[in-house]
Amino acid sequence: MPNIQRGEIAAVIGGEEGVLCLTLGALAELEARLGAGDLVGLSERFAAGRVSARDLLAILGAGLRGGGNALTDDELARLSIEGGLKGAAEIAARLLRATFGGSA
């Protein structure tokens, strides 16, 4: 069961429910992968509302790894997500809200 106080959420990816969490390490991974520079830059990038499929993959992958799942982004890219692209965007939005503030 996810602990929202720790920024964790639950999501079904690839037919299995898992916990996603943007730990400090996962956030550092996102900063580097997306060239955000720092946490403020990362937060501003997502707050702008323009997110690419590559961004979604990076967010979900980092969140899964932060939650203890060892999936690579390549493995994640081959999995189905309920609701398709919209479902992936909704999971990423919930994860970002849980991490940066707001209700998940």
Side-chain angles (χ1 to χ4, degrees), residues 7-25:
E8 297 174 348
I9 66 162
V12 177
I13 297 176
E16 294 184 25
E17 184 173 85
V19 172
L20 290 83
C21 182
L22 290 177
T23 61
L24 189 56

Side-chain angles (χ1 to χ4, degrees), residues 79-92:
L79 296 177
S80 64
I81 297 176
E82 189 173 337
L85 179 60
K86 181 180 178 190
E90 289 171 353
I91 294 167

Side-chain angles (χ1 to χ4, degrees), residues 6-91:
R6 291 181 39 184
E8 297 174 348
I9 66 162
V12 177
I13 297 176
E16 294 184 25
E17 184 173 85
V19 172
L20 290 83
C21 182
L22 290 177
T23 61
L24 189 56
L27 289 167
E29 176 186 333
L30 277 177
E31 285 175 351
R33 177 129 186 244
L34 301 178
D38 58 23
L39 287 174
V40 172
L42 197 61
S43 180
E44 289 173 347
R45 176 182 178 125
F46 298 134
R50 296 190 61 191
V51 180
S52 69
R54 182 176 47 240
D55 292 343
L56 289 177
L57 187 61
I59 294 165
L60 297 180
L64 283 165
R65 288 185 289 280
N69 190 312
L71 276 178
T72 67
D73 285 351
D74 287 339
E75 292 167 329
L76 173 59
R78 292 189 292 273
L79 296 177
S80 64
I81 297 176
E82 189 173 337
L85 179 60
K86 181 180 178 190
E90 289 171 353
I91 294 167

